[in-house]
Amino acid sequence: MLQVFEAAAGWSSVRERLVGRVRDQDLASLDEAVEFAVRWHADQTRPAGEPYVEHLLEVVCVLVEAVGTTDIDVLRAAVLHDVVEDTECLLEDARECFGDRVAVLVDWVTKPPRAQGQSREEARAAYLARLRTAPPDALLVKLADRLSNVQRLDTHPRPEKRRSYYLETVDSIVPLAQSHPWFRQWYAAWRDTFGHVAGDSPNALSQ
């Protein structure tokens, strides 16, 4: 059965789950990152209607509860990974508040603005290709980010988006997961669960 990560109860509930896994001083630092993200994302919601912050917290849950990541910079980057791409926040704002390493990680998983004359599809392809050279910590954030986005793929309101997102994940994200045993196994189970979206053969992952 596919493991699904929940954060609908909010940060206070997730925080309690992290006690004993993450140091107290690091949890306090995460408090600041969550507050920062909530302030910038404000009333944004996900495609299925849930508050945007749920996605950010799910990414943290994946990294801590499944992967065992306790590096505070990686966890803060997980909370902040969409703040530059999806709000008016500047990367320098994140750097000023949380340091250079967090800002670098956020930058790696942020889709850059389209270059002049570049189509949306070309820009997205360039972004996904760049991820192949991402440092390990940035790759962890990206793999957890996409996991949160696709773990409930059937709740997306647009069937054509479900199919395109599935295919993109198989083509561009699943290969990135092969170097990490836990993510490799999770994405294999995910592909098995949602293969019907594009008539895909999940057995291809195990061959």
Side-chain angles (χ1 to χ4, degrees):
M1 175 178 285
L2 185 69
Q3 185 176 3
V4 174
F5 296 83
E6 304 277 356
W11 172 234
S12 60
S13 177
V14 170
R15 195 184 196 282
E16 289 181 8
R17 285 156 51 184
L18 302 186
V19 171
R21 297 173 180 260
V22 178
R23 297 183 305 174
D24 289 346
Q25 59 265 43
D26 288 341
L27 283 174
S29 184
L30 274 178
D31 289 336
E32 297 173 358
V34 171
E35 180 182 358
F36 185 92
V38 167
R39 183 168 70 252
W40 280 102
H41 285 286
D43 58 356
Q44 288 180 350
T45 58
R46 303 294 289 164
E50 67 272 20
Y52 202 93
V53 68
E54 286 186 26
H55 164 61
L56 309 176
L57 298 181
E58 286 174 1
V59 176
V60 173
C61 291
V62 172
L63 290 173
V64 177
E65 297 178 337
V67 184
T69 301
T70 58
D71 185 322
I72 186 55
D73 285 342
V74 174
L75 299 182
R76 291 192 297 182
V79 172
L80 302 170
H81 76 270
D82 276 333
V83 75
V84 174
E85 182 175 319
D86 291 337
T87 80
E88 295 301 314
C89 180
L90 300 176
L91 187 63
E92 289 308 312
D93 296 326
R95 178 176 282 110
E96 181 178 350
C97 291
F98 302 102
D100 187 64
R101 183 168 176 240
V102 171
V104 168
L105 292 173
V106 170
D107 189 43
W108 266 104
V109 297
T110 298
K111 288 189 285 292
R114 279 188 282 169
Q116 185 174 4
Q118 190 179 44
S119 70
R120 185 183 301 274
E121 292 73 20
E122 289 170 338
R124 191 166 185 86
Y127 165 73
L128 292 169
R130 179 175 179 261
L131 288 173
R132 298 173 196 154
T133 63
D137 289 340
L139 188 57
L140 284 178
V141 174
K142 184 60 191 180
L143 290 171
D145 166 35
R146 182 58 65 101
L147 186 161
S148 170
N149 283 330
V150 301
Q151 65 177 344
R152 302 180 190 88
L153 189 61
D154 51 357
T155 67
H156 197 288
R158 295 167 49 205
E160 68 277 12
K161 181 62 176 178
R162 291 199 296 266
R163 184 176 188 277
S164 66
Y165 212 49
Y166 174 85
L167 292 174
E168 180 184 270
T169 302
V170 170
D171 290 344
S172 300
I173 303 300
V174 169
L176 298 177
Q178 299 311 297
S179 62
H180 194 290
W182 187 88
F183 279 116
R184 181 176 68 245
Q185 293 173 10
W186 189 92
Y187 278 102
W190 170 82
R191 188 172 176 179
D192 188 28
T193 300
F194 290 104
H196 63 278
V197 171
D200 186 58
S201 173
N203 292 330
L205 278 182
S206 59
Q207 293 175 352

